[in-house]
Amino acid sequence: MSILAKDDGRPAGAGVLLPRQHLLTCAHVVNSALGKDMLAPDHPGSVTVSVRIHGPEHTVEADAELTAWIPPRRDDGGLGAFEWNGDLAVLRLAGALPSAFEPPRWHPMARRQFVRAWHGSGEPGVFADAEVSECDGRFGYFDGAERTLDIEPAYSGGPLWSSEESAVVGLVTAKLRVRGELRRAWGIPWQRVARELRHAGVDHLLPRPEEDVRDHPLYGELTALLDGPLSLSEGWVRCCRAVARQCGLDHRADGAPTADEFARLLLTRGRALPALVEAVRPTSEPIADDLLALGRRHGLPKLLTPGEYERLLRLLRALPPAWAAGVPGAVRAALSLAALPSALLAGFGGEGHGDGGPFEALIAHLEGLYGDSAPTDDGRPAVPALLRAVEFVAAGCCPTAAERAELWVWSAAVARRLGVHDAALRDRRHDAGQWARGASRSTAPPRVVAKLSSCGSAPVPDGEERYLLRLWCDDGEGLRQVSDDSERPRSAEEAAREILDAVGSLRRPDPAGPRFVIELVVDRDALEVPADSWKPAGAGALLPLPLGAPYPLVVNCPELRELNGEAMLDQWRERWARLDSEEPVHIDDATAPDPEAVCGLLMERLTAHVTVDVAAHRRAGVVQMCLAAGVPVVLWDRSGQPGSPAVRHAAGTRARELPEAIRRYRTKTLQRRADYPGRPVLAWADAGRALPRLDLVDPTE
């Protein structure tokens, strides 16, 4: 790992990975990276440094914040001219690392250990070998071997690795600059590192004492299996190296580890056993099956190899936020009988989902669940819960066929490694497809349909606008008219009261299901009637809630859809059918500066979801063009605020979740008007739900 200097980005030193996204290095390396005097003892403050972490297959660059400072101390007494105490710093990474980056084991430093140190550049060939010549628990001295590189300042803070112990035994600190040919340096042994971290209050980052793996119930069976015919085969060294590479470990150049050493690795590295199964499967299927059976029987928790895990995480992180928001529903549908904590299924689809945090927790939980069916008659294992969940995510949460195919390829490869029968996986894929098709035709929520029209030029005694209102209810058994006296003008408050009364008469099939929806059927000139802000009139209206706060409120304008005849109605139906598969289109003054450009965006593909953020004088025209083109879901902001705050807030929300998302925004406006100044309008035209027949009245009557 490299600690980079702020001024030129060159390596100032090295470091070691600790648990929980933390890093350990020397304090003087941090000083050097910040351009300060190397042995300055004063705390640098709240600072971050750039780091470069080198993994087995790729490198990660990130910022790390200083969280613990143990300054260099020359005044502790009893120190030689070239020694000092302290000199440690703990840094914390801003985000999680891929699973292949695991903290190393630690072991006490002792005389005659052969150690290797790496240059801060992280280049694999720039290492120095040495032998520990003296160690008193506070300081460790090591002398460079012949025909090896000399330890220089950029090695500081890096690990001293002992191949014999397969562990880090200390940190490189300084080179002794004395006359003579001896190449001597000194470092901080693990014994003092542990003491210093405890005194600094960060002992929670110290690794727990390792249990003797020989007491593990699986140890005996593993060593017997690893000491059998497999270890004598020609491909055994290749298998060992493949496992080491996947786990980010070095491997011997002179052969393979013993059965005892390999058993220790398999029992202490969570993904080493799956990696060994992957390496063994092509040449020895029975032994691969035996390894899997041992892991299942003893409850080893990790299902995926490091490579499989990283690829799955990469594919899930690539899902657009609007589609990632559907992952919890897909997982629940896939594993309806599994215990899935609600906290585990939170945080998907938001702005920060790209860091992978929610996906990492979900994968970790699903890896520990059993398969969803019994093993097949020929002894093949069941389809694991994780693979079933991935099949449902592929079917319901991928915006393109290519992304769905990538998850299918991943799932099939893992199933082959696990020995799952192809037919069993195909069954789960069929189940997922049926669920996804059913979800796209999911039962719509109960609704109240309100046909709202202005009284036009009729005299208004108090100066307030009056409306004609007709109401229908639809609780799943079809539309039924519930209003009378449809020719009587109502004020906005009276109309709101009648609509809420109609909602109160509805039967809610599922109390835990979606809220009732209020659907206003309006003509083209009434698309921005502020009905969502109307408050009900009457003595019983104790809560001053506007109509759009307790229930989702949408508008529907069949007049515009019907302008261009049956051709556009067909487009409307086809667009609605693509609501879950087509990406939304955003129209603003830059992307569509004129009507022709708007038409081009609308006709480029059968878009079902459009957001509009244009200048106020263009807004009505652009919205009406969208609706006339048959776009079923259109969101805009009537507030006139620059940047359309309501549209910006809803960015990334899946189309089917917009009615509820807009309702929540309206409630936030009640609480913090300055923070939520937008006035969203959502046009919603479900092609699968009938509208009432609107009998026309003779205009002469």
Side-chain angles (χ1 to χ4, degrees):
M1 180 182 68
S2 309
I3 310 293
L4 306 179
K6 278 190 176 294
D7 56 354
D8 57 10
R10 295 170 64 85
V16 187
L17 193 60
L18 290 176
R20 305 180 190 179
Q21 301 170 216
H22 287 78
L23 313 171
L24 177 67
T25 186
C26 287
H28 81 259
V29 172
V30 174
N31 277 335
S32 180
L34 297 174
K36 303 177 62 176
D37 178 77
M38 285 203 308
L39 296 181
D42 52 309
H43 196 294
S46 180
V47 296
T48 60
V49 295
S50 297
V51 300
R52 185 179 294 137
I53 305 170
H54 309 276
E57 296 181 358
H58 53 278
T59 298
V60 173
E61 293 199 12
D63 289 335
E65 181 183 7
L66 181 65
T67 61
W69 179 253
I70 305 171
R73 303 190 302 270
R74 285 185 178 275
D75 55 356
D76 284 1
L79 299 180
F82 306 104
E83 299 171 338
W84 56 84
N85 281 320
D87 199 9
L88 293 171
V90 177
L91 307 165
R92 190 179 191 281
L93 294 167
L97 288 171
S99 65
F101 295 85
E102 292 190 14
R105 291 177 59 249
W106 292 83
H107 191 275
M109 184 184 289
R111 288 184 62 193
R112 296 195 175 92
Q113 285 175 338
F114 289 96
V115 293
R116 174 169 289 185
W118 282 268
H119 188 270
S121 66
E123 294 292 337
V126 189
F127 58 83
D129 289 330
E131 181 182 4
V132 178
S133 55
E134 187 63 48
C135 180
D136 64 1
R138 287 198 306 162
F139 303 98
Y141 294 92
F142 34 95
D143 298 330
E146 294 183 6
R147 302 180 65 183
T148 187
L149 294 176
D150 199 4
I151 290 178
E152 296 293 342
Y155 286 76
S156 291
L160 287 163
W161 174 262
S162 166
S163 293
E164 183 180 3
E165 305 293 349
S166 295
V168 176
V169 297
L171 299 185
V172 179
T173 307
K175 178 182 179 181
L176 290 179
R177 299 189 179 276
V178 295
R179 294 178 182 177
E181 298 297 325
L182 187 63
R183 293 182 294 177
R184 176 165 292 171
W186 68 270
I188 306 174
W190 166 240
Q191 298 92 305
R192 177 152 72 88
V193 169
R195 288 197 302 271
E196 298 272 16
L197 293 183
R198 287 192 188 97
H199 292 157
V202 288
D203 49 317
H204 60 286
L205 299 178
L206 295 173
R208 296 177 181 175
E210 289 189 3
E211 298 178 3
D212 190 344
V213 296
R214 288 174 295 185
D215 295 333
H216 195 287
L218 184 53
Y219 174 79
E221 293 179 83
L222 266 180
T223 50
L225 185 60
L226 296 171
D227 210 16
L230 181 62
S231 62
L232 303 176
S233 66
E234 293 182 2
W236 179 234
V237 172
R238 176 192 58 80
C239 291
C240 295
R241 290 179 177 175
V243 173
R245 185 171 58 253
Q246 283 229 44
C247 295
L249 301 171
D250 290 330
H251 55 75
R252 290 181 174 175
D254 59 348
T258 66
D260 173 75
E261 290 172 324
F262 216 132
R264 289 174 182 273
L265 172 67
L266 297 179
L267 292 174
T268 55
R269 288 269 180 165
R271 301 195 184 278
L273 182 63
L276 179 59
V277 172
E278 182 178 67
V280 168
R281 173 74 65 187
T283 56
S284 182
E285 290 212 7
I287 293 180
D289 291 338
D290 289 344
L291 286 167
L292 284 170
L294 283 176
R296 282 194 297 269
R297 190 158 66 244
H298 291 278
L300 294 187
K302 302 300 183 184
L303 178 76
L304 305 179
T305 70
E308 290 167 349
Y309 176 84
E310 292 300 333
R311 177 158 178 74
L312 177 59
L313 199 57
R314 201 159 50 242
L315 292 173
L316 295 178
R317 283 173 172 168
L319 293 175
W323 292 85
V327 168
V331 173
R332 286 193 187 98
L335 308 170
S336 57
L337 300 181
L340 298 171
S342 57
L344 189 71
L345 300 178
F348 291 88
E351 292 182 358
H353 99 274
D355 64 4
F359 290 121
E360 289 179 336
L362 180 62
I363 294 171
H365 183 82
L366 297 182
E367 279 189 291
L369 299 183
Y370 291 105
D372 65 328
S373 60
T376 59
D377 293 338
D378 59 356
R380 296 285 192 99
V383 178
L386 176 62
L387 262 62
R388 180 175 173 89
V390 168
E391 290 292 335
F392 275 67
V393 169
C397 304
C398 288
T400 67
E403 289 168 305
R404 187 160 51 249
E406 283 191 290
L407 279 174
W408 282 346
V409 169
W410 178 91
S411 185
V414 176
R416 281 194 298 274
R417 179 182 64 78
L418 296 174
V420 174
H421 201 288
D422 290 344
L425 187 64
R426 284 198 301 270
D427 286 346
R428 302 303 169 269
R429 190 163 296 171
H430 175 74
D431 295 342
Q434 281 194 321
W435 165 78
R437 288 188 291 273
S440 66
R441 300 189 300 268
S442 59
T443 305
R447 60 177 176 156
V448 167
V449 179
K451 174 65 175 78
L452 193 71
S453 55
S454 172
C455 289
S457 58
V460 182
D462 53 8
E464 290 187 5
E465 185 71 53
R466 292 291 191 273
Y467 302 91
L468 300 180
L469 183 69
R470 298 173 70 183
L471 293 173
W472 293 260
C473 286
D474 181 4
D475 55 9
E477 297 181 358
L479 288 161
R480 67 180 191 278
Q481 187 167 345
V482 295
S483 63
D484 54 10
D485 197 13
S486 59
E487 300 305 312
R488 178 176 62 83
R490 278 92 159 166
S491 67
E493 292 78 6
E494 290 171 333
R497 177 76 272 160
E498 287 189 47
I499 292 172
L500 287 177
D501 287 344
V503 172
S505 70
L506 275 174
R507 174 180 59 84
R508 193 173 184 181
D510 179 8
R515 296 170 184 262
F516 303 115
V517 172
I518 298 170
E519 185 174 342
L520 297 184
V521 180
V522 297
D523 59 32
R524 62 194 302 177
D525 296 324
L527 281 166
E528 292 195 359
V529 169
D532 56 280
S533 64
W534 292 350
K535 296 177 182 178
L542 297 178
L543 291 174
L545 286 176
L547 192 57
Y551 304 105
L553 184 147
V554 300
V555 298
N556 195 339
C557 186
E559 174 193 355
L560 286 169
R561 265 197 316 278
E562 295 165 1
L563 280 178
N564 296 300
E566 193 61 35
M568 281 302 167
L569 290 176
D570 286 342
Q571 278 219 8
W572 163 54
R573 298 182 188 101
E574 190 167 354
R575 287 177 189 269
W576 178 263
R578 295 171 181 246
L579 185 62
D580 295 315
S581 58
E582 286 287 344
E583 283 290 307
V585 165
H586 181 69
I587 297 178
D588 56 27
D589 291 317
T591 58
D594 52 49
E596 288 75 15
V598 174
C599 283
L601 281 175
L602 295 176
M603 296 304 166
E604 184 177 0
R605 62 179 193 267
L606 289 174
T607 301
H609 172 197
V610 171
T611 55
V612 177
D613 180 9
V614 297
H617 71 276
R618 298 185 60 209
R619 189 173 65 235
V622 172
V623 167
Q624 291 189 25
M625 288 180 69
C626 294
L627 298 177
V631 178
V633 178
V634 183
L635 173 65
W636 70 98
D637 191 334
R638 69 170 187 269
S639 70
Q641 293 276 338
S644 291
V647 172
R648 189 171 63 248
H649 181 84
T653 303
R654 296 185 76 183
R656 291 188 186 275
E657 296 169 359
L658 276 172
E660 176 60 17
I662 297 304
R663 184 200 70 79
R664 289 198 300 269
Y665 185 92
R666 289 167 176 153
T667 63
K668 292 178 186 296
T669 298
L670 297 176
Q671 305 168 52
R672 304 193 300 278
R673 184 175 295 270
D675 295 333
Y676 296 89
R679 298 294 178 268
V681 184
L682 179 63
W684 186 270
D686 186 338
R689 305 197 80 175
L691 283 177
R693 293 184 55 141
L694 303 176
D695 300 324
L696 299 179
V697 177
D698 188 331
T700 61
E701 294 183 4

